[in-house]
Amino acid sequence: MVNHLTSRLINGLLNKAINRAAKFILLFSFLVITQYSNAQNKINGKKIYETRCLVCHQSDGGGVPNMNPPLDGATNVNGKDIARLVKIIRNGYDERVALDGMYYNNAMAANPDLKEDAIADVLTYIRTSWSNKAGVVTTSQVKAALLKNKAAKK
């Protein structure tokens, strides 16, 4: 009788330990995959930035005074209005812009060929580079922003 109770107790403890270990492994795997995916997005975003954005916004994200606004430390870049950033990347911008007390006049070219995942990648790169700590932009956020911007046109 004692051996049977001891055996059930040990089996119960082992099952709990195995369940906890399995949950830990799943959570750890998810975190590793997410970190890898975010790193990959940032690498892709950097490539896009270097081919499409760097000439005007510079390698340090500092922009060109009175012409092209800085992306490093800019309140718009670090803000929560993802839809506005998506709209600017997709449609360009050709108005005088006031940003953090300065004015910028150079037009930004549209990027209608960039797919949702590429927009998410370049925004992730911009929002997590230099001194920016705004965080990752997902493809689903970009899709939602495009829908919001499309609805606003009507």
Side-chain angles (χ1 to χ4, degrees):
M1 172 108 170
V2 172
N3 284 342
H4 179 69
L5 289 174
T6 305
S7 176
R8 286 186 66 187
L9 178 63
I10 290 172
N11 283 338
L13 290 173
L14 281 174
N15 284 337
K16 284 183 181 180
I18 290 169
N19 285 337
R20 285 184 181 158
K23 287 178 185 177
F24 174 78
I25 290 169
L26 285 173
L27 179 61
F28 182 76
S29 299
F30 174 77
L31 292 174
V32 168
I33 290 168
T34 301
Q35 286 299 95
Y36 174 77
S37 178
N38 289 346
Q40 192 63 38
N41 292 357
K42 192 169 178 179
I43 290 167
N44 293 339
K46 183 177 183 181
K47 289 176 187 174
I48 295 165
Y49 182 85
E50 288 173 344
T51 58
R52 297 188 183 226
C53 313
L54 184 133
V55 171
C56 295
H57 294 287
Q58 306 300 303
S59 62
D60 65 355
V64 178
N66 300 315
M67 289 181 64
N68 306 308
L71 302 175
D72 181 28
T75 55
N76 289 349
V77 171
N78 288 294
K80 295 182 185 204
D81 192 356
I82 302 297
R84 183 172 192 274
L85 297 174
V86 169
K87 182 179 180 180
I88 291 170
I89 288 173
R90 176 57 65 87
N91 302 328
Y93 199 84
D94 64 355
E95 299 172 19
R96 184 176 186 218
V97 62
L99 179 64
D100 298 328
M102 299 286 292
Y103 289 93
Y104 303 91
N105 296 313
N106 206 14
M108 182 175 145
N111 295 280
D113 60 313
L114 280 182
K115 304 283 186 236
E116 290 91 351
D117 59 335
I119 293 171
D121 291 348
V122 75
L123 283 175
T124 293
Y125 174 73
I126 291 166
R127 289 168 47 90
T128 60
S129 293
W130 313 298
S131 69
N132 296 336
K133 305 285 186 255
V136 172
V137 175
T138 65
T139 302
S140 61
Q141 285 176 294
V142 171
K143 288 178 182 178
L146 290 169
L147 287 173
K148 178 181 175 182
N149 292 336
K150 186 175 182 180
K153 283 185 178 180
K154 293 181 180 183

